[in-house]
Amino acid sequence: MSGIGHRATGRLLLGPALQRPIRRRRAPETPRPTSTLPSARAVPEPGAAWARKYRAKLLGIDVAVIVAASIGAAFLVNPVAMTGGPGARRAWVITTLIGLTWLAATAVLRTRERRIIGTGAAEYQRVISATILAFGFLAMTFLVAGEVAPRSYFITAAPAGLAGLLTCRWLARKWLTRQRQYGHYLAHAIVVGRRRDVEYVVRQIQQKCDAAYDVIGVALSHPAQRSLHVDGDEIPVVATLDTVAEVAEQCAADVVIVAGNPHGGSDYIRSLGWDLEGTQAELVLASRLTDVAGPRIHFRPVEGLPLMHVELPTYAGFRHIFKRVFDVVVTAAALVVLLPVLALIALLVKLDSPGPALFLQERVGRDGRTFQIWKFRSMAVDAEARLEELRAANEGAGVLFKLRDDPRVTRIGRVLRKYSLDEFPQLWNVLIGDMSLVGPRPPLPGEVEAYERHVQRRLFIKPGLTGMWQVGGRSNLSWEDSVRLDLYYVENWSIAGDLVILWRTAKMLLRPVGAY
């Protein structure tokens, strides 16, 4: 964004929530006698303060892991030298150089930057990039210097250290996320704009349990009331558009979020950026581009004009080929490993009730093509014939039919459904190409006939064995939320995102939510 001072930065707040909403505990309000507007909520600690402490902890963790990996690899490669034998000085110099270079790379690539810690994949990506940069630089340095460093150093230290760094960062994030659920370790934000845009941004922040912001107040274009009610939370109106910077400094706000297009447009945003110079608050722009993920958005300034490019989704090409290769490799391995488990489940289904162990049903796949989906039978054999008599008791959302206590479900079927074990035979559907490991929920033909035009976009890619609908709440989701999650995935999927969904699916199998 052109014209905004160096202390103010522009970022986008995008993407739907992938986790269940969690209400954070709010600190009580404290009056501010110098203003006729309500004060922002009292906050336990400024964001800059906790960020410094948390970053210091991350630095300590990184140092410990890198030192352990470097020295551990050296002892494995040349234990004699590391314990004072021949070549001890050279071995310790190389070990120290590896550790210092590695640690410097984490600093150069800003792996502990406040904006990325605790949320999103950027933190992990930077740690990986820093490791690659460090060992690439070391390899070139040793080559130019004519120094022969044991390759086993690199082969041992790099993967072990990287695994340690990523694991420790993940554990630190789990702790940080838990703290944020109780209102700690958050950047304190003031949201600015028109009422409708402000409500949208506040609601999105409240619904994300990994969001790094706590909204302590809002500033409206026309503050006709002293507070704003959003989903049961009362947010005080702490400023007008003209007094945002002053109030942000008084409240020690870390972030001023501009929602949508406030009165005054770009001129107002530019002036606000100037006013925030010298304060600790950053300037963040919240986009109303719904269902567009960050990787599809690029900025390209043209003679001071900040242009935001939004890539159109594609449904073919190299990424889809790679996705198919990934599906085949993982599914083939899974079928081999799980074969005894599948045989045991099939036997239990046969013993529990009369009928076949497997159940075939017609579903709609990519581009509207139908296929036969494989599942372990979890209902009585006459389940389809009894559907009409139960339709009046339907508890499903939208065009879906669901009953929490469906009388057609068998005893073993209830267990299979709770832990999604009845879906395992669909690995075969994935292997032969009818489905993918991750994708939208595979619909019935009758459901597709009732789809609205925009919902048809679900069929642009292959349905999935799991997906955002499963990790987002499954049968507890409303029809609108289910559609929103599926459409978001269709237009914004990535291999990294698929890995995250598969990981979260594995956790959901152990602690099922919304399965019946």
Side-chain angles (χ1 to χ4, degrees):
M1 180 170 53
S2 176
I4 293 181
H6 66 281
R7 292 296 301 274
T9 58
R11 291 186 290 164
L12 289 174
L13 191 66
L14 296 170
L18 301 184
Q19 304 182 21
R20 66 184 185 278
I22 296 180
R23 297 287 185 194
R24 301 190 184 93
R25 295 179 182 175
R26 304 288 187 177
E29 296 184 11
T30 56
R32 182 165 56 90
T34 58
S35 174
T36 58
L37 291 169
S39 70
R41 291 184 177 91
V43 292
E45 185 177 30
W50 73 254
R52 283 193 298 270
K53 295 177 183 178
Y54 184 74
R55 292 173 64 189
K57 292 177 182 177
L58 288 183
L59 176 59
I61 291 172
D62 290 349
V63 169
V65 171
I66 289 173
V67 168
S70 302
I71 296 179
F75 268 99
L76 288 174
V77 171
N78 195 348
V80 175
M82 294 299 292
T83 53
R89 181 178 179 182
R90 177 178 178 273
W92 278 103
V93 168
I94 292 177
T95 301
T96 303
L97 183 60
I98 290 176
L100 291 176
T101 303
W102 200 347
L103 191 60
T106 64
V108 170
L109 294 189
R110 299 182 295 178
T111 63
R112 295 174 291 274
E113 186 179 13
R114 175 180 163 185
R115 296 189 184 97
I116 67 167
I117 54 176
T119 183
E123 182 179 1
Y124 301 125
Q125 292 171 349
R126 291 193 187 184
V127 170
I128 295 172
S129 299
T131 301
I132 296 173
L133 174 65
F135 282 91
F137 175 79
L138 286 167
M140 293 296 296
T141 301
F142 288 142
L143 180 64
V144 171
E147 179 69 35
V148 180
R151 280 179 292 181
S152 48
Y153 253 125
F154 289 17
I155 295 174
T156 307
L162 180 58
L165 287 172
L166 293 177
T167 301
C168 289
R169 289 296 183 99
W170 178 75
L171 291 173
R173 179 174 293 193
K174 294 287 286 185
W175 176 85
L176 182 62
T177 300
R178 178 56 61 93
Q179 294 298 312
R180 284 174 169 173
Q181 292 174 4
Y182 294 98
H184 308 304
Y185 292 88
L186 294 166
H188 309 305
I190 294 176
V191 183
V192 182
R194 304 172 193 265
R195 176 172 177 169
R196 180 182 176 186
D197 294 329
V198 168
E199 288 178 344
Y200 171 80
V201 170
V202 171
R203 186 173 293 111
Q204 290 297 309
I205 291 174
Q206 289 176 338
Q207 290 177 350
K208 294 172 186 273
C209 64
D210 61 343
Y213 302 118
D214 181 28
V215 180
I216 61 173
V218 299
L220 301 178
S221 300
H222 301 290
Q225 64 275 0
R226 296 174 63 86
S227 61
L228 189 68
H229 295 267
V230 181
D231 293 344
D233 278 353
E234 184 177 358
I235 315 294
V237 178
V238 298
T240 64
L241 295 189
D242 296 330
T243 61
V244 171
E246 174 189 352
V247 172
E249 185 172 13
Q250 292 174 353
C251 296
D254 304 294
V255 176
V256 173
I257 301 176
V258 178
N261 185 28
H263 287 289
S266 59
D267 289 338
Y268 171 76
I269 296 174
R270 180 177 59 183
S271 298
L272 179 59
W274 291 338
D275 293 340
L276 290 173
E277 290 182 3
T279 72
Q280 71 174 25
E282 296 179 325
L283 182 64
V284 174
L285 304 183
S287 172
R288 284 300 300 265
L289 281 174
T290 57
D291 297 330
V292 179
R296 286 177 54 200
I297 298 174
H298 307 277
F299 292 93
R300 184 181 302 168
V302 178
E303 296 296 333
L305 177 65
L307 298 180
M308 183 171 63
H309 293 248
V310 180
E311 292 182 359
L312 297 178
T314 57
Y315 306 104
F318 174 77
R319 288 200 311 140
H320 287 264
I321 295 174
F322 187 83
K323 181 179 175 73
R324 176 59 184 153
V325 173
F326 177 79
D327 285 344
V328 171
V329 172
V330 173
T331 303
L335 283 171
V336 172
V337 172
L338 295 175
L339 189 58
V341 177
L342 298 177
L344 176 60
I345 294 176
L347 178 61
L348 292 175
V349 172
K350 288 285 293 182
L351 294 176
D352 181 59
S353 62
L358 293 173
F359 172 70
L360 275 70
Q361 189 177 49
E362 187 178 49
R363 296 292 180 102
V364 180
R366 183 176 183 180
D367 298 328
R369 292 191 294 268
T370 58
F371 66 96
Q372 294 293 318
I373 197 172
W374 293 73
K375 302 178 70 173
F376 282 122
R377 182 175 57 83
S378 60
M379 290 185 172
V381 290
D382 62 345
E384 293 291 330
R386 297 167 59 187
L387 175 62
E388 288 303 320
E389 66 185 61
L390 298 172
R391 195 171 292 279
N394 182 22
E395 299 174 357
V399 300
L400 304 179
F401 179 85
K402 285 285 185 180
L403 275 181
R404 190 174 298 272
D405 296 311
D406 196 321
R408 302 172 299 168
V409 179
T410 62
R411 290 176 300 174
I412 189 65
R414 296 191 185 281
V415 177
L416 296 180
R417 286 183 165 217
K418 180 177 180 180
Y419 295 99
S420 297
L421 300 178
D422 59 324
E423 312 285 354
F424 275 16
Q426 292 168 34
L427 290 168
W428 176 252
N429 289 112
V430 176
L431 186 64
I432 64 178
D434 292 332
M435 297 174 61
S436 179
L437 282 173
V438 183
R441 190 188 66 84
L444 294 164
E447 295 173 3
V448 174
E449 291 175 2
Y451 276 0
E452 298 177 41
R453 182 174 180 272
H454 73 282
V455 185
Q456 295 282 344
R457 298 180 67 85
R458 270 182 164 183
L459 308 179
F460 283 6
I461 64 175
K462 292 179 181 179
L465 178 61
T466 185
M468 294 180 69
W469 49 273
Q470 186 166 30
V471 300
R474 302 168 76 176
S475 297
N476 287 343
L477 290 172
S478 67
W479 171 247
E480 292 75 15
D481 285 340
S482 176
V483 170
R484 177 177 57 84
L485 290 176
D486 277 347
L487 294 185
Y488 177 86
Y489 177 83
V490 167
E491 298 188 355
N492 301 287
W493 77 269
S494 66
I495 294 296
D498 283 2
L499 293 175
V500 171
I501 291 174
L502 289 172
W503 168 249
R504 292 182 59 193
T505 299
K507 294 195 297 182
M508 285 284 293
L509 295 180
L510 300 176
R511 291 186 298 175
V513 176
Y516 54 87

